Amino acid sequence: MTRIFSGIQPSGKPTIGNYIGAMKQWVELQEDSPDSQLIFSIVNLHAITVRQDPDQLQERTFDMIAWLLALGIDPDQGNAKIMVQSTVPAHSELAWILDNYTTIGELNRMTQFKDKTAGQKPEGLLVGLYNYPVLMAADILLYNTDIVPVGDDQIQHIELTRDIASRFNNLYKEVFVIPKGQIVQTGSRIMNLQDPSKKMSKSSDNHLSYILLEDPPEQVNKKIKKAVTDQYNQVVYHPATQPAISNLINIYRGFNGDLSIEAIQKRYSGLGYGQFKQDLAELVADTLADLQTRYRSFREDQAMLGRVVAEGKEHCQQLADQKLDQVKQLIGLI
Ligand code: AQP
């Protein structure tokens, strides 16, 4: 049985970057791998590495569960569970233990930390944000995870998870499964619509830089129309020299997997950016409108969302406690 684990932070509202890079492949994996065990976590302990409003954090946790259900993750199907990270204390406990098997040199190399803290004085930076990758290692290793389907930005953290797990295994015995990261072929890093050198992020201050799954058609239209383009007015996929239009092509492909990049370029050959942007806005808005209808019906059912949280907790706590007990025993903790 293949075990699959991944997570998303309720640090904002999900973007089409989260959708194309991660959430969409989660649904496909559930459908394509009926014999796998899949766990999708709303990683709220990760979200508090950046200051959050408490009421909003709670609301966004339930929002995120409703989005996963709307996209097609179905905990009733048996092989997939949705869990909220803070409901299973073993995540924090294993993270503390793994801190003692991780070096400062390793954490200093993490590019996400460097990106998120660029320009800030080191004295004021939060330890939790620095330590984020160790908590992520604990999340993954608790469940004997084989595969971690993520966007490209998380691959470095998975490499670190593998190193920590191997180090621990070598010191004691093979207690941890060594996980592999899995990214989608195109769209593993959807870029900021206003600056294609940066990743699209749900916590960005510039609302024109991202499209949210909850954006209505007029917002989608506006954001795509205002998205920066390159200077050539040709729909050509060449990320190195034409990053802006290449990013829009990746988004197109993320919403219409039937068309290859070559087919998209051919369809818009000679038509310029205008027609392409208009069609892209329509494609994204139509897909999101369907998802939004499903989302609203799940989001309104608080009792059902509470049930999903309780069932996820029950399922995961058992697995996580088993692994934590093994680890504690190995290192002499009673
Ligand atoms: N732009 C992106 N393109 C493709 N995949 C992406 N992911 C995030 N942004 C993109 C993937 O989405 C999953 C969930 O991400 P996360 O919430 O755990 O954290 P993140 O990577 O830090 O995402 P954000 O949107 O940038 O959040 P904030 O702004 O709070 O930091 C992951 O698999 C991630 O790779």
Side-chain angles (χ1 to χ4, degrees):
M1 178 173 60
T2 307
R3 292 187 173 84
I4 297 170
F5 177 95
S6 199
I8 185 160
Q9 300 183 72
S11 48
K13 298 172 174 198
T15 70
I16 59 168
N18 302 126
Y19 169 67
I20 296 172
M23 298 157 108
K24 194 157 79 89
Q25 62 159 332
W26 298 354
V27 180
E28 286 161 7
L29 279 166
Q30 175 176 25
E31 283 164 4
D32 298 347
S33 349
D35 299 329
S36 300
Q37 173 199 281
L38 304 97
I39 298 173
F40 300 113
S41 181
I42 314 302
V43 287
N44 52 354
L45 295 172
H46 283 280
I48 62 165
T49 56
V50 173
R51 199 66 67 227
Q52 304 287 341
D53 172 84
D55 292 336
Q56 201 176 47
L57 180 62
Q58 203 165 335
E59 284 302 301
R60 284 178 174 168
T61 302
F62 287 112
D63 292 350
M64 213 52 102
I65 297 171
W67 276 115
L68 291 185
L69 297 169
L71 289 167
I73 300 292
D74 181 4
D76 289 337
Q77 212 173 290
N79 66 333
K81 291 283 174 240
I82 296 175
M83 65 90 65
V84 177
Q85 189 186 28
S86 62
T87 65
V88 177
H91 288 247
S92 310
E93 206 173 336
L94 183 62
W96 174 253
I97 292 173
L98 296 182
D99 270 341
N100 303 291
Y101 298 84
T102 310
T103 65
I104 287 178
E106 284 173 317
L107 291 185
N108 282 343
R109 286 196 286 277
M110 295 298 114
T111 55
Q112 194 182 62
F113 178 74
K114 288 187 211 167
D115 291 347
K116 287 199 168 175
T117 57
Q120 297 178 43
K121 288 207 179 104
E123 296 76 32
L125 300 178
L126 298 178
V127 175
L129 188 59
Y130 184 63
N131 211 23
Y132 179 115
V134 184
L135 178 58
M136 181 165 159
D139 299 338
I140 296 167
L141 297 176
L142 277 174
Y143 299 104
N144 288 334
T145 305
D146 299 293
I147 294 175
V148 192
V150 283
D152 176 62
D153 61 318
Q154 296 298 337
I155 288 296
Q156 193 187 28
H157 292 162
I158 295 167
E159 289 303 318
L160 176 65
T161 301
R162 291 166 61 86
D163 291 344
I164 297 171
S166 302
R167 183 172 303 143
F168 195 95
N169 286 353
N170 288 337
L171 279 167
Y172 303 98
K173 67 176 218 186
E174 296 284 316
V175 65
F176 292 130
V177 171
I178 308 296
K180 280 200 189 98
Q182 178 171 298
I183 57 171
V184 286
Q185 269 185 341
T186 44
S188 65
R189 186 179 286 245
I190 297 296
M191 308 310 278
N192 179 310
L193 296 177
Q194 293 299 311
D195 178 356
S197 70
K198 292 188 186 146
K199 187 182 81 104
M200 181 182 286
S201 274
K202 62 176 114 61
S203 61
S204 163
D205 291 335
N206 181 356
H207 78 284
L208 288 177
S209 71
Y210 53 68
I211 295 174
L212 299 175
L213 296 189
E214 71 166 37
D215 276 345
E218 49 292 0
Q219 281 293 321
V220 174
N221 253 311
K222 180 172 147 194
K223 290 178 179 181
I224 291 182
K225 212 176 249 174
K226 285 187 182 282
V228 297
T229 38
D230 307 296
Q231 52 182 315
Y232 307 102
N233 201 25
Q234 283 172 8
V235 181
V236 168
Y237 189 79
H238 199 284
T241 58
Q242 301 185 46
I245 189 68
S246 301
N247 186 40
L248 296 181
I249 293 175
N250 277 335
I251 295 174
Y252 196 111
R253 180 118 214 285
F255 280 84
N256 182 350
D258 294 339
L259 279 186
S260 65
I261 286 178
E262 291 69 34
I264 296 170
Q265 292 181 108
K266 205 163 155 202
R267 179 178 282 187
Y268 292 96
S269 165
L271 290 179
Y273 293 148
Q275 182 67 51
F276 174 75
K277 278 187 161 185
Q278 197 179 322
D279 290 359
L280 175 62
E282 206 171 299
L283 173 66
V284 174
D286 285 354
T287 311
L288 293 186
D290 285 346
L291 283 175
Q292 287 158 5
T293 310
R294 287 169 56 79
Y295 167 75
R296 280 191 289 272
S297 78
F298 285 117
R299 187 64 186 91
E300 279 161 16
D301 193 345
Q302 193 62 35
M304 184 271 304
L305 294 176
R307 235 181 5 257
V308 169
V309 174
E311 282 171 19
K313 172 183 170 171
E314 194 188 331
H315 176 84
C316 292
Q317 192 148 30
Q318 216 181 354
L319 295 171
D321 283 351
Q322 245 174 23
K323 180 60 68 180
L324 184 64
D325 281 349
Q326 268 180 303
V327 169
K328 285 169 77 172
Q329 210 174 6
L330 279 176
I331 62 175
L333 298 177
I334 53 172

